Amino acid sequence: MPSQFNQQFAVVLPAGGLGRRMGSQLPKQLLPLQGKPVYRYALETFLSLDEIAEVALVVPEDWKEHFETEIKASNLPDEQRKKLKIIIGGAERWQSVRHGVEALSSQAKYVLVHDVARPFISKALLQQVFETLLSKGSCIVAKECADTVKIVGDGIIEKTIDRKKVWLAQTPQSASVELLKELYAKIDESPLDFLPTDEASILEHFGEKIFIVPGNSQNDKLTSPEDFERFSNLKF
């Protein structure tokens, strides 16, 4: 990216999920993966980018001290540590993201929200996100669906839908900081009648246009022990 784009972006990394499907007492973001905790991969990728002014890592309240101690003992360069702040999350994911967005103190115009359970996000893909944000606006990374998609009710197929129109949402999901803060204020005035599972859900609800940045399997999410085994053998 040209130098004039540096520091225009901030990042919120929600790391509050307990990852119960992993079958571990540790939150999945703290499980070791190829020698370091899962969350460190995405964190270090974002902190290393000149385009990123600030990173808010949003964690469960009971685990905040653990994250602080672990990061303090890490070998992060001082210039990267200065970009990082650790924030306590909310009851739901979208509320945790809101805490992170509202804690941003830099002059960054845009924010990227990325799940730390997607550890192998590539810098090349992030460059596409930066460019889409600047040239078009709000965007999410998503992957085309390769399988035939069925709508099912009570264990019975109701219909088949056109998979060409089906995209599997990934992260980052990105928008301007100002826009997200405006939408959060609207939610305070008129609470949502549904539980948003991602930032795109909120943007869609308020009629915002959201562009797609094509993702890939490298950016898949760690959810199950089988995913963990597969990612443990990946090399990037």
Side-chain angles (χ1 to χ4, degrees):
M1 296 285 287
S3 59
Q4 66 264 31
F5 294 154
N6 288 358
Q7 305 290 297
Q8 287 208 44
F9 307 96
V11 176
V12 172
L13 297 177
L18 296 178
R20 291 184 177 90
R21 278 176 285 183
M22 280 293 184
S24 170
Q25 292 185 346
L26 270 180
K28 67 181 175 183
Q29 60 268 29
L30 289 171
L31 291 172
L33 176 66
Q34 296 189 26
K36 61 184 175 184
V38 167
Y39 81 93
R40 287 275 300 279
Y41 287 91
L43 176 64
E44 292 174 9
T45 295
F46 283 105
L47 288 175
S48 70
L49 293 173
D50 292 337
E51 291 87 351
I52 303 299
E54 184 177 12
V55 175
L57 179 66
V58 188
V59 304
E61 183 173 8
D62 292 347
W63 288 92
K64 185 172 186 284
E65 185 176 349
H66 181 103
F67 278 92
E68 290 173 336
T69 301
E70 201 277 331
I71 289 173
K72 185 176 182 180
S74 71
N75 58 355
L76 282 177
D78 287 343
E79 63 271 18
Q80 293 186 15
R81 290 177 188 271
K82 292 176 183 178
K83 292 183 180 183
L84 175 63
K85 58 177 60 176
I86 300 177
I87 306 298
I88 294 173
E92 302 291 347
R93 182 191 183 280
W94 78 270
Q95 294 167 326
S96 292
V97 171
R98 179 178 182 172
H99 287 189
V101 170
E102 293 180 341
L104 297 175
S105 57
S106 68
Q107 297 303 307
K109 185 174 180 181
Y110 304 97
V111 59
L112 288 70
V113 180
H114 184 70
D115 296 325
V116 295
R118 301 183 188 273
F120 295 129
I121 180 74
S122 71
K123 292 182 179 180
L125 183 53
L126 290 175
Q127 293 297 327
Q128 294 178 50
V129 173
F130 296 153
E131 291 166 7
T132 301
L133 268 171
L134 291 170
S135 63
K136 296 181 178 180
S138 302
C139 62
I140 73 167
V141 175
K143 189 171 68 171
E144 288 186 89
C145 182
D147 298 318
T148 299
V149 181
K150 306 290 186 181
I151 301 298
V152 177
D154 296 324
I156 300 172
I157 292 174
E158 296 177 351
K159 64 178 178 178
T160 301
I161 62 176
D162 184 359
R163 70 182 180 193
K164 293 180 180 178
K165 294 185 177 181
V166 176
W167 288 72
L168 307 177
Q170 298 186 328
T171 63
Q173 301 195 1
S174 311
S176 78
V177 174
E178 181 180 5
L179 173 60
L180 283 180
K181 288 182 176 180
E182 287 176 359
L183 298 186
Y184 292 145
K186 288 183 179 180
I187 292 172
D188 288 339
E189 295 172 2
S190 180
L192 300 174
D193 59 1
F194 68 99
L195 179 63
T197 55
D198 63 1
E199 286 57 60
S201 300
I202 295 174
L203 293 166
E204 291 168 45
H205 178 74
F206 288 102
E208 296 294 330
K209 186 179 292 185
I210 312 161
F211 294 91
I212 292 292
V213 177
N216 51 54
S217 296
Q218 178 178 328
N219 192 38
D220 283 348
K221 189 175 184 179
L222 274 169
T223 301
S224 67
E226 291 77 15
D227 296 330
F228 201 89
E229 183 176 354
R230 177 168 62 91
F231 273 67
S232 295
N233 295 318
L234 292 178
K235 299 293 182 184
F236 298 110

